[in-house]
Amino acid sequence: GALAPASAPAQQPHGRALFVRPDKANCVACHRLPDGAGPATKADIGPALDGARLKGWDAVRLRALLEDPTRMNPDTVKPPYGRHRILEAAEIERLAEFLRALP
């Protein structure tokens, strides 16, 4: 008989999954999303996120914020996801795409 493949490469989590995963970005701990875009929370440490809030944020600026928010605001409590290697560059990109697509 045929042998099953040893293992398929792990699926990379989408931006929405990164947004809610406690071992990754865990943005949902501080931010709310528009209805239907993710889990309903009462999080209010950070601003509610929606298309109107993020309007005008180009991909470069949003990636920079996720990479190291202390460059824009030295007093922020937002983790420096890239600088501290919480997220890889590709994960930051997927998270930024998810945020830019919010209604």
Side-chain angles (χ1 to χ4, degrees), residues 53-73:
R53 168 116 182 120
L54 297 170
K55 187 175 184 170
W57 282 73
D58 65 15
V60 172
R61 183 176 176 206
L62 191 51
R63 281 193 306 268
L65 175 71
L66 296 170
E67 172 70 30
D68 186 357
T70 62
R71 292 182 190 149
M72 293 179 192
N73 178 0

mmCIF file with all atom_site columns, all heavy atoms in Angstrom, residues 53-73:
data_model
loop_
_atom_site.group_PDB
_atom_site.id
_atom_site.type_symbol
_atom_site.label_atom_id
_atom_site.label_alt_id
_atom_site.label_comp_id
_atom_site.label_asym_id
_atom_site.label_entity_id
_atom_site.label_seq_id
_atom_site.pdbx_PDB_ins_code
_atom_site.Cartn_x
_atom_site.Cartn_y
_atom_site.Cartn_z
_atom_site.occupancy
_atom_site.B_iso_or_equiv
_atom_site.pdbx_formal_charge
_atom_site.auth_seq_id
_atom_site.auth_comp_id
_atom_site.auth_asym_id
_atom_site.auth_atom_id
_atom_site.pdbx_PDB_model_num
ATOM 1   N N   . ARG A 1 53 ? -10.942 54.118 11.624 1.00 0.00 ? 53 ARG A N   1
ATOM 2   C CA  . ARG A 1 53 ? -9.799  54.428 12.498 1.00 0.00 ? 53 ARG A CA  1
ATOM 3   C C   . ARG A 1 53 ? -8.482  54.258 11.752 1.00 0.00 ? 53 ARG A C   1
ATOM 4   O O   . ARG A 1 53 ? -7.544  55.001 11.957 1.00 0.00 ? 53 ARG A O   1
ATOM 5   C CB  . ARG A 1 53 ? -9.826  53.517 13.723 1.00 0.00 ? 53 ARG A CB  1
ATOM 6   C CG  . ARG A 1 53 ? -8.549  53.555 14.524 1.00 0.00 ? 53 ARG A CG  1
ATOM 7   C CD  . ARG A 1 53 ? -8.790  54.112 15.894 1.00 0.00 ? 53 ARG A CD  1
ATOM 8   N NE  . ARG A 1 53 ? -7.543  54.183 16.622 1.00 0.00 ? 53 ARG A NE  1
ATOM 9   C CZ  . ARG A 1 53 ? -7.029  55.306 17.086 1.00 0.00 ? 53 ARG A CZ  1
ATOM 10  N NH1 . ARG A 1 53 ? -7.661  56.436 16.920 1.00 0.00 ? 53 ARG A NH1 1
ATOM 11  N NH2 . ARG A 1 53 ? -5.911  55.315 17.740 1.00 0.00 ? 53 ARG A NH2 1
ATOM 12  N N   . LEU A 1 54 ? -8.417  53.243 10.901 1.00 0.00 ? 54 LEU A N   1
ATOM 13  C CA  . LEU A 1 54 ? -7.169  52.932 10.207 1.00 0.00 ? 54 LEU A CA  1
ATOM 14  C C   . LEU A 1 54 ? -7.056  53.609 8.840  1.00 0.00 ? 54 LEU A C   1
ATOM 15  O O   . LEU A 1 54 ? -6.058  53.436 8.160  1.00 0.00 ? 54 LEU A O   1
ATOM 16  C CB  . LEU A 1 54 ? -7.019  51.417 10.070 1.00 0.00 ? 54 LEU A CB  1
ATOM 17  C CG  . LEU A 1 54 ? -6.911  50.683 11.403 1.00 0.00 ? 54 LEU A CG  1
ATOM 18  C CD1 . LEU A 1 54 ? -7.006  49.185 11.198 1.00 0.00 ? 54 LEU A CD1 1
ATOM 19  C CD2 . LEU A 1 54 ? -5.640  51.056 12.131 1.00 0.00 ? 54 LEU A CD2 1
ATOM 20  N N   . LYS A 1 55 ? -8.097  54.362 8.469  1.00 0.00 ? 55 LYS A N   1
ATOM 21  C CA  . LYS A 1 55 ? -8.057  55.055 7.179  1.00 0.00 ? 55 LYS A CA  1
ATOM 22  C C   . LYS A 1 55 ? -6.853  55.999 7.168  1.00 0.00 ? 55 LYS A C   1
ATOM 23  O O   . LYS A 1 55 ? -6.600  56.709 8.136  1.00 0.00 ? 55 LYS A O   1
ATOM 24  C CB  . LYS A 1 55 ? -9.345  55.850 6.970  1.00 0.00 ? 55 LYS A CB  1
ATOM 25  C CG  . LYS A 1 55 ? -9.444  56.438 5.595  1.00 0.00 ? 55 LYS A CG  1
ATOM 26  C CD  . LYS A 1 55 ? -10.780 57.110 5.402  1.00 0.00 ? 55 LYS A CD  1
ATOM 27  C CE  . LYS A 1 55 ? -10.843 57.594 3.971  1.00 0.00 ? 55 LYS A CE  1
ATOM 28  N NZ  . LYS A 1 55 ? -12.174 58.040 3.621  1.00 0.00 ? 55 LYS A NZ  1
ATOM 29  N N   . GLY A 1 56 ? -6.122  55.982 6.117  1.00 0.00 ? 56 GLY A N   1
ATOM 30  C CA  . GLY A 1 56 ? -4.941  56.822 6.013  1.00 0.00 ? 56 GLY A CA  1
ATOM 31  C C   . GLY A 1 56 ? -3.662  56.133 6.476  1.00 0.00 ? 56 GLY A C   1
ATOM 32  O O   . GLY A 1 56 ? -2.578  56.657 6.290  1.00 0.00 ? 56 GLY A O   1
ATOM 33  N N   . TRP A 1 57 ? -3.796  54.968 7.102  1.00 0.00 ? 57 TRP A N   1
ATOM 34  C CA  . TRP A 1 57 ? -2.617  54.203 7.498  1.00 0.00 ? 57 TRP A CA  1
ATOM 35  C C   . TRP A 1 57 ? -2.194  53.354 6.306  1.00 0.00 ? 57 TRP A C   1
ATOM 36  O O   . TRP A 1 57 ? -2.856  52.382 5.973  1.00 0.00 ? 57 TRP A O   1
ATOM 37  C CB  . TRP A 1 57 ? -2.936  53.294 8.678  1.00 0.00 ? 57 TRP A CB  1
ATOM 38  C CG  . TRP A 1 57 ? -2.991  53.988 9.986  1.00 0.00 ? 57 TRP A CG  1
ATOM 39  C CD1 . TRP A 1 57 ? -3.955  54.828 10.426 1.00 0.00 ? 57 TRP A CD1 1
ATOM 40  C CD2 . TRP A 1 57 ? -2.020  53.915 11.024 1.00 0.00 ? 57 TRP A CD2 1
ATOM 41  N NE1 . TRP A 1 57 ? -3.664  55.271 11.678 1.00 0.00 ? 57 TRP A NE1 1
ATOM 42  C CE2 . TRP A 1 57 ? -2.473  54.719 12.077 1.00 0.00 ? 57 TRP A CE2 1
ATOM 43  C CE3 . TRP A 1 57 ? -0.817  53.229 11.169 1.00 0.00 ? 57 TRP A CE3 1
ATOM 44  C CZ2 . TRP A 1 57 ? -1.751  54.870 13.256 1.00 0.00 ? 57 TRP A CZ2 1
ATOM 45  C CZ3 . TRP A 1 57 ? -0.111  53.371 12.348 1.00 0.00 ? 57 TRP A CZ3 1
ATOM 46  C CH2 . TRP A 1 57 ? -0.578  54.190 13.373 1.00 0.00 ? 57 TRP A CH2 1
ATOM 47  N N   . ASP A 1 58 ? -1.096  53.714 5.666  1.00 0.00 ? 58 ASP A N   1
ATOM 48  C CA  . ASP A 1 58 ? -0.632  52.869 4.572  1.00 0.00 ? 58 ASP A CA  1
ATOM 49  C C   . ASP A 1 58 ? 0.068   51.645 5.152  1.00 0.00 ? 58 ASP A C   1
ATOM 50  O O   . ASP A 1 58 ? 0.327   51.556 6.358  1.00 0.00 ? 58 ASP A O   1
ATOM 51  C CB  . ASP A 1 58 ? 0.259   53.636 3.600  1.00 0.00 ? 58 ASP A CB  1
ATOM 52  C CG  . ASP A 1 58 ? 1.569   54.116 4.208  1.00 0.00 ? 58 ASP A CG  1
ATOM 53  O OD1 . ASP A 1 58 ? 1.961   53.643 5.291  1.00 0.00 ? 58 ASP A OD1 1
ATOM 54  O OD2 . ASP A 1 58 ? 2.215   54.969 3.594  1.00 0.00 ? 58 ASP A OD2 1
ATOM 55  N N   . ALA A 1 59 ? 0.354   50.676 4.298  1.00 0.00 ? 59 ALA A N   1
ATOM 56  C CA  . ALA A 1 59 ? 0.937   49.412 4.746  1.00 0.00 ? 59 ALA A CA  1
ATOM 57  C C   . ALA A 1 59 ? 2.286   49.626 5.442  1.00 0.00 ? 59 ALA A C   1
ATOM 58  O O   . ALA A 1 59 ? 2.573   48.978 6.445  1.00 0.00 ? 59 ALA A O   1
ATOM 59  C CB  . ALA A 1 59 ? 1.082   48.464 3.561  1.00 0.00 ? 59 ALA A CB  1
ATOM 60  N N   . VAL A 1 60 ? 3.085   50.539 4.954  1.00 0.00 ? 60 VAL A N   1
ATOM 61  C CA  . VAL A 1 60 ? 4.409   50.781 5.543  1.00 0.00 ? 60 VAL A CA  1
ATOM 62  C C   . VAL A 1 60 ? 4.274   51.302 6.975  1.00 0.00 ? 60 VAL A C   1
ATOM 63  O O   . VAL A 1 60 ? 4.949   50.822 7.891  1.00 0.00 ? 60 VAL A O   1
ATOM 64  C CB  . VAL A 1 60 ? 5.217   51.766 4.669  1.00 0.00 ? 60 VAL A CB  1
ATOM 65  C CG1 . VAL A 1 60 ? 6.515   52.178 5.347  1.00 0.00 ? 60 VAL A CG1 1
ATOM 66  C CG2 . VAL A 1 60 ? 5.489   51.162 3.302  1.00 0.00 ? 60 VAL A CG2 1
ATOM 67  N N   . ARG A 1 61 ? 3.401   52.265 7.183  1.00 0.00 ? 61 ARG A N   1
ATOM 68  C CA  . ARG A 1 61 ? 3.221   52.843 8.517  1.00 0.00 ? 61 ARG A CA  1
ATOM 69  C C   . ARG A 1 61 ? 2.645   51.813 9.503  1.00 0.00 ? 61 ARG A C   1
ATOM 70  O O   . ARG A 1 61 ? 3.068   51.729 10.656 1.00 0.00 ? 61 ARG A O   1
ATOM 71  C CB  . ARG A 1 61 ? 2.303   54.058 8.426  1.00 0.00 ? 61 ARG A CB  1
ATOM 72  C CG  . ARG A 1 61 ? 2.131   54.763 9.746  1.00 0.00 ? 61 ARG A CG  1
ATOM 73  C CD  . ARG A 1 61 ? 1.306   56.013 9.589  1.00 0.00 ? 61 ARG A CD  1
ATOM 74  N NE  . ARG A 1 61 ? 1.076   56.640 10.886 1.00 0.00 ? 61 ARG A NE  1
ATOM 75  C CZ  . ARG A 1 61 ? 0.060   57.402 11.168 1.00 0.00 ? 61 ARG A CZ  1
ATOM 76  N NH1 . ARG A 1 61 ? -0.839  57.684 10.243 1.00 0.00 ? 61 ARG A NH1 1
ATOM 77  N NH2 . ARG A 1 61 ? -0.075  57.919 12.366 1.00 0.00 ? 61 ARG A NH2 1
ATOM 78  N N   . LEU A 1 62 ? 1.694   51.018 9.039  1.00 0.00 ? 62 LEU A N   1
ATOM 79  C CA  . LEU A 1 62 ? 1.090   50.012 9.896  1.00 0.00 ? 62 LEU A CA  1
ATOM 80  C C   . LEU A 1 62 ? 2.102   48.922 10.261 1.00 0.00 ? 62 LEU A C   1
ATOM 81  O O   . LEU A 1 62 ? 2.189   48.513 11.423 1.00 0.00 ? 62 LEU A O   1
ATOM 82  C CB  . LEU A 1 62 ? -0.144  49.411 9.224  1.00 0.00 ? 62 LEU A CB  1
ATOM 83  C CG  . LEU A 1 62 ? -1.031  48.529 10.081 1.00 0.00 ? 62 LEU A CG  1
ATOM 84  C CD1 . LEU A 1 62 ? -1.414  49.195 11.395 1.00 0.00 ? 62 LEU A CD1 1
ATOM 85  C CD2 . LEU A 1 62 ? -2.274  48.149 9.302  1.00 0.00 ? 62 LEU A CD2 1
ATOM 86  N N   . ARG A 1 63 ? 2.880   48.479 9.288  1.00 0.00 ? 63 ARG A N   1
ATOM 87  C CA  . ARG A 1 63 ? 3.931   47.489 9.589  1.00 0.00 ? 63 ARG A CA  1
ATOM 88  C C   . ARG A 1 63 ? 4.935   48.051 10.590 1.00 0.00 ? 63 ARG A C   1
ATOM 89  O O   . ARG A 1 63 ? 5.363   47.354 11.504 1.00 0.00 ? 63 ARG A O   1
ATOM 90  C CB  . ARG A 1 63 ? 4.639   47.046 8.318  1.00 0.00 ? 63 ARG A CB  1
ATOM 91  C CG  . ARG A 1 63 ? 3.859   46.026 7.515  1.00 0.00 ? 63 ARG A CG  1
ATOM 92  C CD  . ARG A 1 63 ? 4.710   45.369 6.443  1.00 0.00 ? 63 ARG A CD  1
ATOM 93  N NE  . ARG A 1 63 ? 5.350   46.327 5.562  1.00 0.00 ? 63 ARG A NE  1
ATOM 94  C CZ  . ARG A 1 63 ? 4.863   46.771 4.419  1.00 0.00 ? 63 ARG A CZ  1
ATOM 95  N NH1 . ARG A 1 63 ? 3.688   46.352 3.996  1.00 0.00 ? 63 ARG A NH1 1
ATOM 96  N NH2 . ARG A 1 63 ? 5.534   47.621 3.681  1.00 0.00 ? 63 ARG A NH2 1
ATOM 97  N N   . ALA A 1 64 ? 5.317   49.321 10.429 1.00 0.00 ? 64 ALA A N   1
ATOM 98  C CA  . ALA A 1 64 ? 6.260   49.950 11.368 1.00 0.00 ? 64 ALA A CA  1
ATOM 99  C C   . ALA A 1 64 ? 5.684   49.998 12.776 1.00 0.00 ? 64 ALA A C   1
ATOM 100 O O   . ALA A 1 64 ? 6.394   49.760 13.754 1.00 0.00 ? 64 ALA A O   1
ATOM 101 C CB  . ALA A 1 64 ? 6.625   51.350 10.883 1.00 0.00 ? 64 ALA A CB  1
ATOM 102 N N   . LEU A 1 65 ? 4.382   50.285 12.887 1.00 0.00 ? 65 LEU A N   1
ATOM 103 C CA  . LEU A 1 65 ? 3.730   50.312 14.192 1.00 0.00 ? 65 LEU A CA  1
ATOM 104 C C   . LEU A 1 65 ? 3.773   48.934 14.849 1.00 0.00 ? 65 LEU A C   1
ATOM 105 O O   . LEU A 1 65 ? 4.035   48.816 16.045 1.00 0.00 ? 65 LEU A O   1
ATOM 106 C CB  . LEU A 1 65 ? 2.285   50.783 14.063 1.00 0.00 ? 65 LEU A CB  1
ATOM 107 C CG  . LEU A 1 65 ? 1.476   50.744 15.356 1.00 0.00 ? 65 LEU A CG  1
ATOM 108 C CD1 . LEU A 1 65 ? 1.958   51.826 16.318 1.00 0.00 ? 65 LEU A CD1 1
ATOM 109 C CD2 . LEU A 1 65 ? 0.007   50.917 15.057 1.00 0.00 ? 65 LEU A CD2 1
ATOM 110 N N   . LEU A 1 66 ? 3.533   47.898 14.076 1.00 0.00 ? 66 LEU A N   1
ATOM 111 C CA  . LEU A 1 66 ? 3.553   46.546 14.621 1.00 0.00 ? 66 LEU A CA  1
ATOM 112 C C   . LEU A 1 66 ? 4.975   46.078 14.923 1.00 0.00 ? 66 LEU A C   1
ATOM 113 O O   . LEU A 1 66 ? 5.200   45.381 15.914 1.00 0.00 ? 66 LEU A O   1
ATOM 114 C CB  . LEU A 1 66 ? 2.869   45.582 13.652 1.00 0.00 ? 66 LEU A CB  1
ATOM 115 C CG  . LEU A 1 66 ? 1.378   45.843 13.418 1.00 0.00 ? 66 LEU A CG  1
ATOM 116 C CD1 . LEU A 1 66 ? 0.869   45.007 12.265 1.00 0.00 ? 66 LEU A CD1 1
ATOM 117 C CD2 . LEU A 1 66 ? 0.582   45.607 14.676 1.00 0.00 ? 66 LEU A CD2 1
ATOM 118 N N   . GLU A 1 67 ? 5.895   46.461 14.099 1.00 0.00 ? 67 GLU A N   1
ATOM 119 C CA  . GLU A 1 67 ? 7.303   46.074 14.295 1.00 0.00 ? 67 GLU A CA  1
ATOM 120 C C   . GLU A 1 67 ? 7.840   46.646 15.606 1.00 0.00 ? 67 GLU A C   1
ATOM 121 O O   . GLU A 1 67 ? 8.403   45.929 16.429 1.00 0.00 ? 67 GLU A O   1
ATOM 122 C CB  . GLU A 1 67 ? 8.133   46.579 13.113 1.00 0.00 ? 67 GLU A CB  1
ATOM 123 C CG  . GLU A 1 67 ? 9.628   46.425 13.275 1.00 0.00 ? 67 GLU A CG  1
ATOM 124 C CD  . GLU A 1 67 ? 10.137  45.005 13.217 1.00 0.00 ? 67 GLU A CD  1
ATOM 125 O OE1 . GLU A 1 67 ? 9.533   44.154 12.538 1.00 0.00 ? 67 GLU A OE1 1
ATOM 126 O OE2 . GLU A 1 67 ? 11.153  44.743 13.871 1.00 0.00 ? 67 GLU A OE2 1
ATOM 127 N N   . ASP A 1 68 ? 7.680   47.956 15.809 1.00 0.00 ? 68 ASP A N   1
ATOM 128 C CA  . ASP A 1 68 ? 8.184   48.599 17.027 1.00 0.00 ? 68 ASP A CA  1
ATOM 129 C C   . ASP A 1 68 ? 7.419   49.897 17.272 1.00 0.00 ? 68 ASP A C   1
ATOM 130 O O   . ASP A 1 68 ? 7.825   50.963 16.815 1.00 0.00 ? 68 ASP A O   1
ATOM 131 C CB  . ASP A 1 68 ? 9.674   48.877 16.922 1.00 0.00 ? 68 ASP A CB  1
ATOM 132 C CG  . ASP A 1 68 ? 10.263  49.408 18.215 1.00 0.00 ? 68 ASP A CG  1
ATOM 133 O OD1 . ASP A 1 68 ? 9.512   49.614 19.197 1.00 0.00 ? 68 ASP A OD1 1
ATOM 134 O OD2 . ASP A 1 68 ? 11.485  49.620 18.257 1.00 0.00 ? 68 ASP A OD2 1
ATOM 135 N N   . PRO A 1 69 ? 6.303   49.826 18.003 1.00 0.00 ? 69 PRO A N   1
ATOM 136 C CA  . PRO A 1 69 ? 5.475   51.008 18.226 1.00 0.00 ? 69 PRO A CA  1
ATOM 137 C C   . PRO A 1 69 ? 6.162   52.092 19.056 1.00 0.00 ? 69 PRO A C   1
ATOM 138 O O   . PRO A 1 69 ? 5.731   53.239 19.036 1.00 0.00 ? 69 PRO A O   1
ATOM 139 C CB  . PRO A 1 69 ? 4.248   50.459 18.945 1.00 0.00 ? 69 PRO A CB  1
ATOM 140 C CG  . PRO A 1 69 ? 4.703   49.185 19.558 1.00 0.00 ? 69 PRO A CG  1
ATOM 141 C CD  . PRO A 1 69 ? 5.766   48.644 18.656 1.00 0.00 ? 69 PRO A CD  1
ATOM 142 N N   . THR A 1 70 ? 7.233   51.751 19.770 1.00 0.00 ? 70 THR A N   1
ATOM 143 C CA  . THR A 1 70 ? 7.918   52.768 20.582 1.00 0.00 ? 70 THR A CA  1
ATOM 144 C C   . THR A 1 70 ? 8.589   53.817 19.710 1.00 0.00 ? 70 THR A C   1
ATOM 145 O O   . THR A 1 70 ? 8.906   54.900 20.198 1.00 0.00 ? 70 THR A O   1
ATOM 146 C CB  . THR A 1 70 ? 8.954   52.140 21.532 1.00 0.00 ? 70 THR A CB  1
ATOM 147 O OG1 . THR A 1 70 ? 9.966   51.478 20.769 1.00 0.00 ? 70 THR A OG1 1
ATOM 148 C CG2 . THR A 1 70 ? 8.291   51.160 22.483 1.00 0.00 ? 70 THR A CG2 1
ATOM 149 N N   . ARG A 1 71 ? 8.799   53.535 18.438 1.00 0.00 ? 71 ARG A N   1
ATOM 150 C CA  . ARG A 1 71 ? 9.364   54.546 17.531 1.00 0.00 ? 71 ARG A CA  1
ATOM 151 C C   . ARG A 1 71 ? 8.384   55.693 17.314 1.00 0.00 ? 71 ARG A C   1
ATOM 152 O O   . ARG A 1 71 ? 8.791   56.825 17.110 1.00 0.00 ? 71 ARG A O   1
ATOM 153 C CB  . ARG A 1 71 ? 9.730   53.921 16.189 1.00 0.00 ? 71 ARG A CB  1
ATOM 154 C CG  . ARG A 1 71 ? 10.886  52.964 16.268 1.00 0.00 ? 71 ARG A CG  1
ATOM 155 C CD  . ARG A 1 71 ? 11.205  52.430 14.896 1.00 0.00 ? 71 ARG A CD  1
ATOM 156 N NE  . ARG A 1 71 ? 12.153  51.340 14.995 1.00 0.00 ? 71 ARG A NE  1
ATOM 157 C CZ  . ARG A 1 71 ? 12.189  50.321 14.162 1.00 0.00 ? 71 ARG A CZ  1
ATOM 158 N NH1 . ARG A 1 71 ? 11.320  50.244 13.155 1.00 0.00 ? 71 ARG A NH1 1
ATOM 159 N NH2 . ARG A 1 71 ? 13.081  49.374 14.299 1.00 0.00 ? 71 ARG A NH2 1
ATOM 160 N N   . MET A 1 72 ? 7.089   55.383 17.333 1.00 0.00 ? 72 MET A N   1
ATOM 161 C CA  . MET A 1 72 ? 6.066   56.405 17.130 1.00 0.00 ? 72 MET A CA  1
ATOM 162 C C   . MET A 1 72 ? 5.594   56.997 18.456 1.00 0.00 ? 72 MET A C   1
ATOM 163 O O   . MET A 1 72 ? 5.191   58.144 18.507 1.00 0.00 ? 72 MET A O   1
ATOM 164 C CB  . MET A 1 72 ? 4.864   55.815 16.385 1.00 0.00 ? 72 MET A CB  1
ATOM 165 C CG  . MET A 1 72 ? 5.153   55.418 14.976 1.00 0.00 ? 72 MET A CG  1
ATOM 166 S SD  . MET A 1 72 ? 3.665   54.714 14.231 1.00 0.00 ? 72 MET A SD  1
ATOM 167 C CE  . MET A 1 72 ? 4.355   54.025 12.747 1.00 0.00 ? 72 MET A CE  1
ATOM 168 N N   . ASN A 1 73 ? 5.599   56.168 19.501 1.00 0.00 ? 73 ASN A N   1
ATOM 169 C CA  . ASN A 1 73 ? 5.133   56.606 20.807 1.00 0.00 ? 73 ASN A CA  1
ATOM 170 C C   . ASN A 1 73 ? 5.964   55.899 21.881 1.00 0.00 ? 73 ASN A C   1
ATOM 171 O O   . ASN A 1 73 ? 5.672   54.751 22.231 1.00 0.00 ? 73 ASN A O   1
ATOM 172 C CB  . ASN A 1 73 ? 3.646   56.281 20.980 1.00 0.00 ? 73 ASN A CB  1
ATOM 173 C CG  . ASN A 1 73 ? 3.119   56.664 22.339 1.00 0.00 ? 73 ASN A CG  1
ATOM 174 O OD1 . ASN A 1 73 ? 3.842   57.185 23.191 1.00 0.00 ? 73 ASN A OD1 1
ATOM 175 N ND2 . ASN A 1 73 ? 1.851   56.382 22.570 1.00 0.00 ? 73 ASN A ND2 1
#
